[in-house]
Short mmCIF file of all heavy atoms in Angstrom, two decimals:
data_model
loop_
_atom_site.label_atom_id
_atom_site.label_comp_id
_atom_site.label_asym_id
_atom_site.label_seq_id
_atom_site.Cartn_x
_atom_site.Cartn_y
_atom_site.Cartn_z
N LEU Z 29 13.67 -51.10 -14.53
CA LEU Z 29 13.58 -51.69 -15.86
C LEU Z 29 12.12 -51.86 -16.24
O LEU Z 29 11.26 -52.12 -15.39
CB LEU Z 29 14.23 -53.07 -15.90
CG LEU Z 29 15.71 -53.18 -15.56
CD1 LEU Z 29 16.15 -54.62 -15.69
CD2 LEU Z 29 16.54 -52.28 -16.43
N GLU Z 30 11.84 -51.72 -17.52
CA GLU Z 30 10.51 -52.04 -18.05
C GLU Z 30 10.65 -52.39 -19.50
O GLU Z 30 11.68 -52.11 -20.13
CB GLU Z 30 9.52 -50.91 -17.84
CG GLU Z 30 9.86 -49.62 -18.55
CD GLU Z 30 8.91 -48.50 -18.21
OE1 GLU Z 30 8.69 -48.20 -17.04
OE2 GLU Z 30 8.40 -47.89 -19.18
N PHE Z 31 9.65 -53.03 -20.05
CA PHE Z 31 9.69 -53.39 -21.46
C PHE Z 31 9.38 -52.15 -22.30
O PHE Z 31 8.54 -51.35 -21.97
CB PHE Z 31 8.71 -54.51 -21.78
CG PHE Z 31 9.14 -55.80 -21.21
CD1 PHE Z 31 8.50 -56.36 -20.12
CD2 PHE Z 31 10.21 -56.49 -21.75
CE1 PHE Z 31 8.93 -57.54 -19.57
CE2 PHE Z 31 10.66 -57.70 -21.22
CZ PHE Z 31 10.00 -58.22 -20.12
N TYR Z 32 10.10 -52.01 -23.40
CA TYR Z 32 9.90 -50.92 -24.34
C TYR Z 32 9.14 -51.48 -25.54
O TYR Z 32 9.66 -52.34 -26.25
CB TYR Z 32 11.23 -50.33 -24.78
CG TYR Z 32 11.11 -49.12 -25.65
CD1 TYR Z 32 10.76 -47.89 -25.14
CD2 TYR Z 32 11.34 -49.23 -27.03
CE1 TYR Z 32 10.62 -46.79 -25.96
CE2 TYR Z 32 11.21 -48.12 -27.85
CZ TYR Z 32 10.86 -46.90 -27.31
OH TYR Z 32 10.71 -45.80 -28.12
N GLU Z 33 7.91 -51.00 -25.71
CA GLU Z 33 7.04 -51.61 -26.72
C GLU Z 33 6.69 -50.67 -27.86
O GLU Z 33 5.86 -51.02 -28.71
CB GLU Z 33 5.75 -52.08 -26.02
CG GLU Z 33 6.06 -53.12 -24.94
CD GLU Z 33 4.86 -53.48 -24.10
OE1 GLU Z 33 3.92 -52.65 -23.99
OE2 GLU Z 33 4.87 -54.58 -23.53
N GLN Z 34 7.31 -49.50 -27.95
CA GLN Z 34 6.96 -48.51 -28.97
C GLN Z 34 7.46 -48.89 -30.36
O GLN Z 34 6.94 -48.42 -31.35
CB GLN Z 34 7.50 -47.12 -28.60
CG GLN Z 34 6.63 -46.33 -27.66
CD GLN Z 34 6.57 -46.92 -26.22
OE1 GLN Z 34 7.33 -47.81 -25.88
NE2 GLN Z 34 5.68 -46.41 -25.43
N GLU Z 35 8.50 -49.72 -30.46
CA GLU Z 35 9.06 -50.09 -31.76
C GLU Z 35 9.25 -51.62 -31.83
O GLU Z 35 10.38 -52.11 -31.84
CB GLU Z 35 10.40 -49.39 -31.99
CG GLU Z 35 10.25 -47.87 -32.00
CD GLU Z 35 11.59 -47.17 -32.13
OE1 GLU Z 35 12.26 -46.96 -31.13
OE2 GLU Z 35 11.92 -46.84 -33.28
N PRO Z 36 8.13 -52.37 -31.85
CA PRO Z 36 8.24 -53.84 -31.81
C PRO Z 36 9.00 -54.43 -33.00
O PRO Z 36 9.53 -55.54 -32.90
CB PRO Z 36 6.79 -54.30 -31.77
CG PRO Z 36 6.00 -53.16 -32.30
CD PRO Z 36 6.77 -51.91 -31.95
N GLU Z 37 9.08 -53.71 -34.09
CA GLU Z 37 9.81 -54.24 -35.26
C GLU Z 37 11.32 -54.37 -34.98
O GLU Z 37 12.03 -55.07 -35.69
CB GLU Z 37 9.59 -53.35 -36.49
CG GLU Z 37 10.21 -51.96 -36.42
CD GLU Z 37 9.40 -50.92 -35.63
OE1 GLU Z 37 8.33 -51.27 -35.09
OE2 GLU Z 37 9.86 -49.77 -35.58
N LYS Z 38 11.81 -53.71 -33.94
CA LYS Z 38 13.22 -53.80 -33.56
C LYS Z 38 13.51 -55.01 -32.67
O LYS Z 38 14.64 -55.25 -32.30
CB LYS Z 38 13.69 -52.54 -32.86
CG LYS Z 38 13.72 -51.34 -33.80
CD LYS Z 38 14.27 -50.13 -33.09
CE LYS Z 38 14.42 -48.95 -34.02
NZ LYS Z 38 15.03 -47.81 -33.37
N GLY Z 39 12.45 -55.71 -32.26
CA GLY Z 39 12.61 -56.85 -31.37
C GLY Z 39 12.28 -56.45 -29.93
O GLY Z 39 11.79 -55.36 -29.64
N LEU Z 40 12.57 -57.39 -29.04
CA LEU Z 40 12.31 -57.17 -27.62
C LEU Z 40 13.18 -56.02 -27.10
O LEU Z 40 14.39 -56.04 -27.29
CB LEU Z 40 12.61 -58.45 -26.84
CG LEU Z 40 12.49 -58.36 -25.33
CD1 LEU Z 40 11.05 -58.06 -24.93
CD2 LEU Z 40 12.94 -59.66 -24.70
N GLY Z 41 12.56 -55.03 -26.48
CA GLY Z 41 13.30 -53.89 -25.94
C GLY Z 41 13.12 -53.78 -24.44
O GLY Z 41 12.01 -53.94 -23.92
N ILE Z 42 14.21 -53.52 -23.75
CA ILE Z 42 14.17 -53.26 -22.32
C ILE Z 42 14.61 -51.82 -22.10
O ILE Z 42 15.69 -51.41 -22.52
CB ILE Z 42 15.14 -54.20 -21.55
CG1 ILE Z 42 14.74 -55.65 -21.74
CG2 ILE Z 42 15.15 -53.84 -20.06
CD1 ILE Z 42 15.72 -56.64 -21.13
N LEU Z 43 13.76 -51.06 -21.44
CA LEU Z 43 14.05 -49.68 -21.12
C LEU Z 43 14.77 -49.64 -19.78
O LEU Z 43 14.24 -50.08 -18.76
CB LEU Z 43 12.76 -48.86 -21.04
CG LEU Z 43 12.89 -47.38 -20.73
CD1 LEU Z 43 13.64 -46.65 -21.84
CD2 LEU Z 43 11.52 -46.78 -20.51
#
Side-chain angles (χ1 to χ4, degrees):
L29 300 181
E30 62 185 52
F31 290 107
Y32 184 76
E33 300 172 335
Q34 277 69 10
E35 299 176 275
E37 68 279 1
K38 292 184 176 183
L40 175 63
I42 298 174
L43 181 65

